[in-house]
Amino acid sequence: MAKASKSKLVATVGVFAALTTVATVIVQIPVPETKGYINLGDAVVLLSGIVLGPAAGALAGGIGSALADVLSGYAHWAPFTLVIKGVEGFLAGLLSRTGKTALRTLGVLLAAFEMILGYFLVETLLYGVGAALAELPGNVFQAVFGALVALLAGEQLRRRIGVADAVS
């Protein structure tokens, strides 16, 4: 990979991490049972995977979402979020590399399901199954909304930015 391509990749990952942070912080709907919140950041996490590919999508999604937790007063969630959202960005990017719509859709849906499952497991460990079940509808809504936005905008954005080919 040429130096200019590496520079463009680093800059783009940084921009996507920042966009993830902003999308997560700008709209937060609190969930009292787990002291968590529903947000719009998943759309950008999934877009990161589609546009940047698995590794860079994992970095942008994980770092941006964890930073949002820290900035929002949920620092205790940041390590869990880093892993859960990092894996989400990775999975979204993994099958998107093929360029096939059906596989990209499958990758985004698997990534969204991983996010729901990841938070459900951590919430169950931290707060109990009742609280985790209470947050489940919000996580499903967040995942579905994010998946729709990512699938509608992802391929167009990927073509315009042209970074994913450099990291595939």
Side-chain angles (χ1 to χ4, degrees), residues 2-67:
K3 186 175 184 177
S5 294
K6 285 183 181 181
S7 298
K8 182 178 181 180
L9 174 62
V10 169
T12 306
V13 169
V15 167
F16 270 87
L19 287 171
T20 300
T21 302
V22 170
T24 303
V25 169
I26 202 159
V27 174
Q28 293 181 341
I29 303 165
V31 179
E33 290 82 5
T34 61
K35 299 174 181 64
Y37 56 91
I38 299 167
N39 63 79
L40 305 177
D42 276 287
V44 185
V45 172
L46 295 167
L47 273 173
S48 296
I50 291 171
V51 172
L52 303 175
L59 286 172
I63 292 169
S65 297
L67 181 59

Side-chain angles (χ1 to χ4, degrees), residues 16 18 41 59 77 79 82 99 102 107 124 138-140 145 148 160 168:
F16 270 87
L59 286 172
W77 274 98
L82 178 67
T124 298
N139 284 337
V140 170
F145 176 80
L148 287 173
R160 289 179 188 256
S168 296

